[in-house]
């Protein structure tokens, strides 16, 4: 029987009741014809939400399966059962404990569903503990068994992996995220049995997810940049606890604006197919964060590839995932120096300002059209919102202002709105955006004492960058909008 559904990436995800799907840093488990999606829900107190779907597209909310008020019960190892910090009157604890990246396994021997997750006290990320909860049914009320530092290690971003022989592993970031540690779980999956491997020590990885394909293990992971997306990387090995390859990039410079959450193996007629699910965190507002579902491909036994698709059609009757794309033609322009995105802000009175704002996926102000301007490879940079062109501020008599000149956005197309995009000759990433008329380059930074909400954007003489001064304020990345 055909069971096709189309998933539109880069659009808000809504459940069958019309509510946004809140299941971040999540996990999926299949049972009795349903996929169950667990994840973080931070509305009105932290909790673990659960949704289910028979086609991976239409999701029914099954409510919260673990909350800060859930039942607690100790098991046979030492844990802290404190779910909501005891001094909750202390406002610095915000909404209470942080629960991140919940993952659920089914233990065949005990019949229990076992949830592993990352726990923090709600005030800071210093406890760095894992936590465990269990339930007799997949989407029932989980009982919380407490948090702890596995074999004394810090434990932040995490995942689990159940091997074909039933053994299961917990993998988490330790030593302030410097190392990824692999632990074998006890037979009942309730505790850590042994630390079996340290992966890529000192390389600061987050967001791990593991699959096994044709006997080869693949691990995908992100770098550590808070809520900002970065270049994802993967590695492979023929033994989970043996020698792993080095990390190699997958996806684009921002993993298509995602951070790995989990990978769903789909039963296909021929061989398995694999669906990558990434969180698209919105750094300007966590609650605007969404998800991206993309097929993984494997050009060879040891290679993993992720390509963008605006839409994917999944046929669960045969596991075939078909990608379809219509490039948006839009770009975000990221300042490498200030980690801010060029924004064209049009005030009510029609005045336009060019500034550098925190990445926000909902913001039309951060979308730009980069179009050819005549011959010789020059471009015009036009804001999607308001359609005005980026241009330099020239005095009315054509004379230039002094250094640190303002950048304007004008609706007409003056001669000084042509720019060249120059690759760095020093191997640093990003381009110099040079104005054709003045020869000066775009620069973004923060003035002394200025609040860091908005970076100032202006044009200055191109200068040789001294890396000891931090990141280059004259470097920008032109990123596709997905
Ligand atoms: C990135 C992690 O991958 C997320 O799970 C979350 O911990 C954020 N950092 C917090 O900054």
């Amino acid at each position: 029987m055909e069971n096709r559904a189309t998933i539109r990436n880069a659009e808000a995800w809504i459940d069958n009741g019309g509510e946004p799907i809140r299941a971040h840093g999540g996990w999926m488990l299949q049972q009795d014809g349903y996929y169950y999606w667990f994840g973080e829900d931070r509305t009105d107190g932290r909790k673990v939400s659960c949704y289910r779907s028979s086609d991976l597209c239409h999701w029914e909310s099954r409510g919260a399966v673990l909350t800060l008020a859930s039942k607690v019960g100790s098991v046979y190892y030492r844990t802290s059962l404190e779910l909501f910090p005891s001094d909750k009157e202390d406002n610095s604890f915000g909404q209470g404990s942080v629960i991140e990246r919940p993952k659920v396994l089914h233990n065949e021997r005990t019949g229990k569903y076992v949830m592993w997750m990352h726990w923090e006290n709600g005030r800071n990320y210093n406890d760095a503990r894992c936590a465990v909860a269990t339930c007799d049914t997949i989407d029932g009320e989980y009982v919380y068994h407490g948090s702890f530092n596995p074999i004394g290690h810090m434990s932040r971003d995490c995942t689990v992996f159940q091997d074909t022989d039933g053994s299961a592993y917990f993998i988490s970031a330790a030593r302030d995220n410097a190392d990824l540690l692999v632990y074998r779980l006890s037979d009942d999956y309730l505790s850590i049995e042994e630390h079996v491997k340290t992966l890529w020590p000192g390389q600061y990885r987050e967001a791990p997810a593991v699959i096994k394909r044709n006997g080869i293990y693949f691990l995908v992971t992100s770098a550590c940049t808070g809520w900002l997306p970065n270049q994802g990387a993967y590695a492979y090995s023929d033994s989970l606890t043996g020698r792993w390859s080095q990390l190699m990039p997958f996806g684009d410079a921002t993993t298509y604006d995602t951070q790995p959450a989990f990978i769903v193996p789909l039963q296909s007629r021929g061989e398995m197919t694999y669906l990558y699910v990434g969180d698209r965190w919105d750094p300007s507002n966590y609650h605007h964060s969404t998800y991206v579902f993309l097929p993984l491909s494997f050009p060879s036994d040891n290679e993993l590839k992720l390509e963008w698709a605006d839409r994917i059609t999944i046929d669960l009757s045969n596991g075939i995932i078909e990608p379809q794309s219509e490039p948006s033609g839009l770009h975000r322009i990221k300042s490498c120096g200030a980690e801010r995105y060029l924004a064209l802000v049009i005030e009510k009175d029609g005045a336009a300002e060019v500034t550098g704002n925190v990445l926000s996926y909902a913001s039309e102000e951060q979308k730009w059209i980069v179009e050819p301007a005549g011959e010789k490879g020059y471009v015009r940079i036009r804001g999607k919102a308001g359609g005005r062109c980026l241009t330099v501020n020239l005095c009315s008599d054509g004379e230039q202002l002094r250094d640190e000149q303002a950048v304007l956005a004008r609706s007409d197309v003056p001669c000084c709105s042509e720019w060249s995009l120059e690759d760095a000759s020093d191997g640093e990433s990003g381009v110099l955006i040079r104005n054709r008329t003045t020869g000066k380059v775009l620069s973004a930074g923060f003035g002394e004492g200025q609040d860091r909400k908005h970076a100032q954007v202006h044009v200055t003489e191109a200068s040789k960058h001294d890396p000891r001064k931090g990141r280059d304020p004259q470097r920008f990345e032109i990123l596709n909008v997905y």
Side-chain angles (χ1 to χ4, degrees), residues 28 37 259-264 275-279 291-294:
M28 264 183 212
W37 184 359
Q259 189 183 30
F262 55 93
I263 298 169
V264 196
L275 185 65
Y276 165 91
V277 178
D279 288 292
Y291 318 90
V292 165
F293 283 37
L294 293 171

Side-chain angles (χ1 to χ4, degrees), residues 108-277:
E108 292 283 339
R109 290 186 193 199
T110 63
K112 292 259 186 208
Y113 294 86
V114 184
M115 182 186 295
W116 282 78
M117 66 209 107
H118 170 200
W119 185 94
E120 298 287 355
N121 60 35
R123 184 160 50 183
N124 55 43
Y125 271 59
N126 297 345
D127 283 335
R129 297 188 200 157
C130 61
V132 185
T134 61
C135 193
D136 292 333
T137 56
I138 192 165
D139 56 357
E141 291 177 11
Y142 280 66
V143 175
Y144 186 69
H145 299 311
S147 67
F148 61 104
N149 291 113
I151 323 185
H153 293 289
M154 294 174 88
S155 181
R156 292 207 181 106
D157 272 19
C158 61
T159 192
V160 292
F161 177 71
Q162 190 174 33
D163 213 337
T164 28
D165 63 1
S167 58
Y169 298 83
F170 178 70
I171 300 167
S172 72
R175 206 158 61 90
D176 262 324
N177 294 346
D179 310 338
L180 263 185
L181 302 194
V182 183
Y183 306 93
R184 190 160 47 77
L185 296 181
S186 54
D187 287 349
D188 57 11
Y189 298 173
L190 291 178
S191 64
I192 300 277
E193 188 78 13
E194 196 187 351
H195 167 207
V196 288
K197 184 79 188 167
T198 299
L199 293 170
W200 310 293
Q203 293 204 33
Y204 290 87
R205 307 305 306 179
E206 283 189 329
V210 179
I211 52 163
K212 187 181 187 179
R213 177 183 179 270
N214 300 340
I216 308 282
Y217 299 85
F218 286 89
L219 186 149
V220 299
T221 156
S222 74
C224 285
T225 50
W227 301 114
L228 289 170
N230 57 61
Q231 170 78 67
Y234 78 96
Y236 66 88
S237 174
D238 55 13
S239 153
L240 194 63
T241 57
R243 196 180 160 83
W244 280 78
S245 73
Q246 62 179 2
L247 289 163
M248 296 163 283
F250 79 101
D252 74 351
T254 61
T255 324
Y256 309 116
D257 291 355
T258 71
Q259 189 183 30
F262 55 93
I263 298 169
V264 196
L266 299 179
Q267 194 68 49
S268 180
R269 267 190 212 129
E271 45 177 29
M272 302 289 285
T273 54
Y274 295 86
L275 185 65
Y276 165 91
V277 178

